[in-house]
Amino acid sequence: MKPTLIRPAPPRAAQGAVATPIMPSVVYAADDPDALDAIYEGRAQGHTYSREGHPNAAALARAIDAMEHATGGLVTGSGMAAVTAVLLGLCTSGDHVIGGDALYGRSLRMMADDLPRLGIATTLVDTGDVDAVRAAIRPETRMILCEIVSNPTLRLADLDGLAELAQQTGVLLVVDNTFTTPRAVQPLRRGADIVLHSVTKLLSGHSDAMLGYVAARNPELQRQIYDFATTTGLTPSPFDCWLAERGLATFHLRFERAQDTARILADHLAAQPGVTRVLYPTRPDHPDHNRAQALLDGQGCNMVSFVIPGGRAQTNAFARAADGIAFAPTLGDVGTTLSHPASSSHRSLSAERRAELGMPEGFFRVSVGLEDPEALTGIFDRALTAATAD
Ligand SMILES: *Cc1c(COP(=O)(O)O)cnc(C)c1O
């Protein structure tokens, strides 16, 4: 019997495919050493080893680049991988980093624990208050990391003020645009130096792919971020990239629909006697309403927070009675999800501290999905009735 080739020549390309094929290959063959040199030196397109990059990551990165008005952005294995690539890829022992005091939980934890352990000092401040941020700047301050709409109280950072301050002081402004998405704000066009995402959330949109994205305006910074991410293996899976690219195709439609429903739900909840407070950026009773109008271009996004009176018995009753709505600590899914900071993202804080931050026990955050608005408000009404009955 003749020996057979274990690896017969694979198809060179799926010519004419309308949808991007999935390419899980970890390694790519080159014709000869010169061809490999050309790829490594950027003179020829191609891939070598998938930790360094692969076709599905590249396809997704180019799609998000177009939305963020970025070039050469990098897709990472999670949103936290993107945060890590920026903080650890660009900062050195002795540097100082300023972060928003209401950042995503794990970003806060990196600011509070990991950076100081590595000799990088951190200060957390309210990024809605530019004077407070200015006061925190030191000669060794390397960057400011902020989110535009805070979690879960939906307060707005003063993005324009921060961009001006960063420019005046030579400090890098890094914006986590996960909540707001490029549909509402394009940070690089408003003076930010770096934009990043948890693609896991709205951009991918189906809670089945975990990914991040990061793009710097300066190509040298982007190269440092890329090198750090590649060396430390913050690489995304081709299959997740493929799913996210598919999700991204409907992002604008999903965003519009979820936002329209979020507005309806916010107004509906505000009219219910069993609700003591509603937070939605475009509502006139939102504390940062004017800034939201100016910054988000009339968009309110898909997140609504609200407060019901009472304690754990009432919040348990509400969550159990919200039939068909996943009680799950995430956001941006096609289905509406409900989360409760006191038992999830903010559980490490004392009840007193949470109350000070505007998050009493009865505080819920809703990520509005694509359900029929009337069906959705009906579910919330039934949950409110159950919470009041308990
Ligand atoms: C979820 C999230 C992250 C982290 O993203 P993962 O994909 O879960 O690692 C970072 N920032 C914000 C604002 C998030 O919501």
Side-chain angles (χ1 to χ4, degrees):
M1 210 169 93
K2 279 188 186 171
T4 48
L5 285 173
I6 292 185
R7 297 279 194 193
R12 292 301 281 191
Q15 288 288 348
V18 170
T20 307
I22 305 177
M23 282 160 278
S25 186
V26 161
V27 69
Y28 292 82
D31 289 339
D32 56 25
D34 275 352
L36 206 51
D37 277 350
I39 292 172
Y40 274 118
E41 287 160 19
R43 288 180 281 112
Q45 289 226 318
H47 298 282
T48 54
Y49 188 66
S50 69
R51 184 167 22 73
E52 319 246 331
H54 53 74
N56 291 105
L60 179 62
R62 297 300 76 77
I64 303 176
D65 281 352
M67 297 165 76
E68 284 290 7
H69 295 269
T71 45
L74 176 73
V75 171
T76 56
S78 69
M80 282 314 298
V83 173
T84 303
V86 171
L87 290 172
L88 297 187
L90 300 183
C91 295
T92 305
S93 165
D95 283 349
H96 172 243
V97 176
I98 297 173
D101 58 4
L103 288 173
Y104 179 71
R106 286 279 164 185
S107 300
L108 271 183
R109 192 155 158 169
M110 189 172 290
M111 299 284 300
D113 298 342
D114 300 283
L115 295 187
R117 180 168 49 76
L118 298 171
I120 300 164
T122 60
T123 308
L124 299 175
V125 292
D126 173 2
T127 46
D129 179 354
V130 174
D131 291 334
V133 179
R134 184 180 289 110
I137 288 185
R138 308 176 189 172
E140 62 274 20
T141 303
R142 175 76 169 130
M143 63 177 66
I144 301 165
L145 171 63
C146 76
E147 292 168 22
I148 300 170
V149 171
S150 74
N151 176 31
T153 49
L154 312 184
R155 297 299 304 263
L156 273 99
D158 182 355
L159 184 61
D160 294 338
L162 291 174
E164 201 184 323
L165 176 66
Q167 227 209 338
Q168 284 165 358
T169 53
V171 169
L172 296 172
L173 178 60
V174 182
V175 176
D176 178 338
N177 200 21
T178 302
F179 262 50
T180 25
T181 84
R183 181 73 189 84
V185 189
Q186 291 140 15
L188 297 183
R189 291 178 113 191
R190 291 188 94 110
D193 297 286
I194 296 174
V195 61
L196 65 88
H197 279 277
S198 169
V199 177
T200 313
K201 312 291 170 54
L202 284 135
L203 294 182
S204 181
H206 296 68
S207 296
D208 54 11
M210 179 157 280
L211 293 168
Y213 165 88
V214 52
R217 218 152 25 140
N218 177 331
E220 176 52 26
L221 293 181
Q222 185 67 31
R223 196 195 55 76
Q224 285 180 42
I225 291 168
Y226 168 82
D227 281 339
F228 181 83
T230 301
T231 301
T232 51
L234 304 179
T235 313
S237 126
F239 184 57
D240 279 21
C241 292
W242 182 84
L243 283 172
E245 193 191 336
R246 190 181 206 269
L248 208 60
T250 55
F251 163 70
H252 281 89
L253 293 171
R254 288 187 283 104
F255 185 91
E256 293 296 325
R257 167 65 185 235
Q259 172 171 260
D260 287 348
T261 308
R263 202 176 284 131
I264 292 169
L265 180 66
D267 291 342
H268 181 82
L269 289 173
Q272 306 310 310
V275 174
T276 51
R277 183 152 194 230
V278 173
L279 287 163
Y280 187 68
T282 56
R283 277 182 56 82
D285 58 359
H286 186 281
D288 300 325
H289 167 253
N290 288 338
R291 184 177 288 161
Q293 289 293 354
L295 190 52
L296 303 180
D297 190 26
Q299 318 291 314
C301 304
N302 79 314
M303 306 295 289
V304 179
S305 292
F306 66 95
V307 181
I308 61 170
R312 184 52 65 91
Q314 282 69 37
T315 53
N316 278 338
F318 187 94
R320 279 197 306 266
D323 217 10
I325 295 183
F327 178 59
T330 190
L331 65 110
D333 187 57
V334 286
T336 296
T337 52
L338 182 70
S339 72
H340 178 244
S343 60
S344 58
S345 55
H346 292 71
R347 61 175 300 118
S348 63
L349 303 182
S350 67
E352 292 72 32
R353 181 70 189 128
R354 283 194 298 263
E356 273 170 30
L357 295 173
M359 265 174 271
E361 169 64 29
F363 189 107
F364 281 103
R365 187 196 78 180
V366 189
S367 166
V368 176
L370 307 184
E371 293 87 352
D372 172 69
E374 261 181 54
L376 197 64
T377 51
I379 294 170
F380 277 82
D381 286 349
R382 286 192 289 284
L384 282 171
T385 306
T388 332
D390 244 53

